[in-house]
Amino acid sequence: MTPSAILITILGYFSLLMLISWRTGRDDSNEVFFIGAKTSPWYVVAFGMIGASLSGVTFISVPGWVGGSQFAYFQVVLGYLVGYWVVALVLLPVYYRQNVTSIYQYLETRFGWMSYKTGAFYFFISRVLGAAFRLFLVALVLQQFVFSALGVSFEWTVVISILLIWVYTYRGGIKTIVWTDTLQTGFMIAAVVLAIGLILKEMNWSFAALLTSESFEQYNQILVLDQWQAKSYFWKSFIGGAFITICMTGLDQDMMQKNLSCRNLKEAQKNMLSFSVVLTLVTFIFMILGALLFMYAGANHIEIPLMDGKPKTDLLFPEIALNSGLGPVLGIVFLLGLIAAAYSSADSALTALTTSFCIDFLSLNQKAEKLQKTIRKQVHIGMSVLLILVIIAYKYILSSNVIDSLLTVAGYTYGPLLGLFAFGILTTHQVKDRYVFWVSLASVVLITFIGQIDPKYFGGYVIGYELLPLNGIITFLGLWLIRKKH
């Protein structure tokens, strides 16, 4: 596809998003922006959350990861499934019972002001880094295949991307996002299914023939049970995946904000449980696509695209979709899926960051009513600028696969949240609130030190995603030490 054709496709897609924004954003009150006035149908939220959870990282990075790790990532996904049930049955009842707008308000009720601010702080850091990870990958693809040919720098590619998101979310907030996420999830799933179908047609294979082929067997190993020292060992991946979901969904204002927009607890739980099953199946389809991409590339002598002189498997899917001669249909489908996957995650992140900063740091509900909407809109702009700066910084510091980097960073930033909420829910103890932030900071410093230890000192054992629960345990123990004696 030519850069101009790609650009026309992007503009057409955003025109559709703007139409939805116009229809849903006519009431731009703070209640609508933050929690959708609690009128969102649970099934719409559930379907839209698939796109928000998978994001552009999954759309590109999971298929690209198959070449090096086969289907081992599915071990993490099985852990996700367990984590979603914990969120539905343990955390959602807590949030609905307390009728919170920001889920970190629970920590203030349970422990005090410092605990509340500590939880909000770690969410803020986690979501800024996570949203930037997701948008960085998409901006990278758009830069390589579109804007470079038009003479536009990477920095301006990022600015344009964030500006488009800001435009269609600045009025309706979460109410708009619930519906745009639904559209974007549909595009993303359709893109993966059509991509598989079009590549299979080119290879003269049926789907059944793909799954039973010897070539597919080179990529489809899921369980890693005989290498307990390896990062991809089953129990490390499974347990890490469960805790990643508990933290990145259940303790994350971004994901919970959609659930809190449902009419009641029962509908929010229906949303979470049905979403978890569909998400697991969709992720498996992504991995099948990954195997197919590497098989097709091998059969047609397509090289892995280079980035800074090094092979970048994250770029294999866009390379095949846009430059392999498979026709404009695959290119258009890929672009729609990529943009849908990226912005269904990024738009909700921008709204959640705005919500958290307004409620948790600025105490917006205590301001004069006539100022509240103005402050919210100013913060919305500020969060957009912050994301731009972090994404541009990633260009110069990231070197590994993006989804692996995303999950690794989660181990450092979400651990204190896990420890705080676990201590609040699983114990009846009160803590010395003024020391909570310092306990969480000590946990992050300690876990950073542990994460950097050379595996040879552990007998070759490589620390993986279990870093997150370990971080949570350390925070939990620190809170135990500062508990108030009865």
Side-chain angles (χ1 to χ4, degrees), residues 336-396:
L336 291 175
L338 171 65
I339 298 167
Y343 293 119
S344 63
S345 173
D347 55 15
S348 59
L350 180 56
T351 302
L353 287 169
T354 302
T355 300
S356 178
F357 198 83
C358 287
I359 301 297
D360 300 326
F361 295 104
L362 299 182
S363 302
L364 188 70
N365 49 358
Q366 297 176 19
K367 306 288 185 186
E369 189 171 343
K370 64 181 181 179
L371 290 177
Q372 289 184 10
K373 190 184 297 186
T374 300
I375 292 172
R376 185 202 83 206
K377 291 183 176 181
Q378 291 173 344
V379 170
H380 198 215
I381 295 172
M383 293 302 105
S384 301
V385 173
L386 178 61
L387 283 176
I388 289 170
L389 296 175
V390 176
I391 295 167
I392 292 172
Y394 279 165
K395 178 185 177 184
Y396 302 99

Side-chain angles (χ1 to χ4, degrees), residues 226-403:
D226 58 346
Q227 303 173 40
W228 68 272
Q229 296 172 314
K231 184 177 181 179
S232 58
Y233 180 62
F234 173 75
W235 287 110
K236 294 161 72 172
S237 298
F238 180 80
I239 294 171
F243 280 98
I244 285 168
T245 288
I246 291 170
C247 293
M248 295 183 72
T249 297
L251 306 183
D252 188 289
Q253 177 67 22
D254 182 356
M255 300 302 292
M256 286 297 97
Q257 193 165 351
K258 298 183 183 72
N259 286 272
L260 294 175
S261 74
C262 291
R263 295 185 177 96
N264 52 54
L265 172 61
K266 186 176 180 181
E267 291 204 352
Q269 289 176 316
K270 277 196 247 181
N271 152 50
M272 183 59 65
L273 296 177
S274 58
F275 149 76
S276 67
V277 175
V278 176
L279 180 71
T280 302
L281 296 174
V282 171
T283 305
F284 191 74
I285 294 173
F286 270 98
M287 286 185 282
I288 292 175
L289 171 62
L292 183 59
L293 290 170
F294 280 96
M295 292 161 62
Y296 181 79
N300 291 274
H301 309 291
I302 297 173
E303 299 290 335
I304 304 296
L306 299 178
M307 180 182 172
D308 298 326
K310 299 177 182 178
K312 187 75 171 176
T313 57
D314 289 340
L315 297 177
L316 180 60
F317 189 11
E319 176 69 23
I320 290 176
L322 300 174
N323 291 337
S324 66
L326 288 176
V329 174
L330 179 58
I332 291 172
V333 164
F334 166 79
L335 278 174
L336 291 175
L338 171 65
I339 298 167
Y343 293 119
S344 63
S345 173
D347 55 15
S348 59
L350 180 56
T351 302
L353 287 169
T354 302
T355 300
S356 178
F357 198 83
C358 287
I359 301 297
D360 300 326
F361 295 104
L362 299 182
S363 302
L364 188 70
N365 49 358
Q366 297 176 19
K367 306 288 185 186
E369 189 171 343
K370 64 181 181 179
L371 290 177
Q372 289 184 10
K373 190 184 297 186
T374 300
I375 292 172
R376 185 202 83 206
K377 291 183 176 181
Q378 291 173 344
V379 170
H380 198 215
I381 295 172
M383 293 302 105
S384 301
V385 173
L386 178 61
L387 283 176
I388 289 170
L389 296 175
V390 176
I391 295 167
I392 292 172
Y394 279 165
K395 178 185 177 184
Y396 302 99
I397 61 177
L398 276 188
S399 58
S400 62
N401 177 279
V402 173
I403 193 167

Side-chain angles (χ1 to χ4, degrees), residues 155-293:
E155 288 74 14
W156 278 109
T157 299
V158 174
V159 171
I160 292 168
S161 299
I162 297 295
L163 179 61
L164 288 170
I165 295 171
W166 177 84
V167 167
Y168 76 80
T169 61
Y170 86 103
R171 286 181 62 85
I174 198 67
K175 185 174 182 180
T176 297
I177 286 164
V178 164
W179 291 99
T180 56
D181 278 3
T182 300
L183 173 73
Q184 291 169 159
T185 298
F187 272 123
M188 185 185 63
I189 294 175
V192 174
V193 172
L194 284 171
I196 291 174
L198 290 169
I199 296 174
L200 284 176
K201 182 179 179 181
E202 180 69 19
M203 298 178 73
N204 294 316
W205 275 10
S206 65
F207 189 69
L210 166 67
L211 298 182
T212 57
S213 68
E214 291 184 6
S215 299
F216 186 71
E217 291 180 1
Q218 298 175 20
Y219 296 99
N220 68 354
Q221 180 184 348
I222 296 176
L223 301 179
V224 180
L225 298 171
D226 58 346
Q227 303 173 40
W228 68 272
Q229 296 172 314
K231 184 177 181 179
S232 58
Y233 180 62
F234 173 75
W235 287 110
K236 294 161 72 172
S237 298
F238 180 80
I239 294 171
F243 280 98
I244 285 168
T245 288
I246 291 170
C247 293
M248 295 183 72
T249 297
L251 306 183
D252 188 289
Q253 177 67 22
D254 182 356
M255 300 302 292
M256 286 297 97
Q257 193 165 351
K258 298 183 183 72
N259 286 272
L260 294 175
S261 74
C262 291
R263 295 185 177 96
N264 52 54
L265 172 61
K266 186 176 180 181
E267 291 204 352
Q269 289 176 316
K270 277 196 247 181
N271 152 50
M272 183 59 65
L273 296 177
S274 58
F275 149 76
S276 67
V277 175
V278 176
L279 180 71
T280 302
L281 296 174
V282 171
T283 305
F284 191 74
I285 294 173
F286 270 98
M287 286 185 282
I288 292 175
L289 171 62
L292 183 59
L293 290 170

Side-chain angles (χ1 to χ4, degrees), residues 10-22:
I10 294 172
L11 292 175
Y13 179 77
F14 271 98
S15 297
L16 185 56
L17 291 184
M18 288 302 301
L19 177 61
I20 295 174
S21 175
W22 174 74

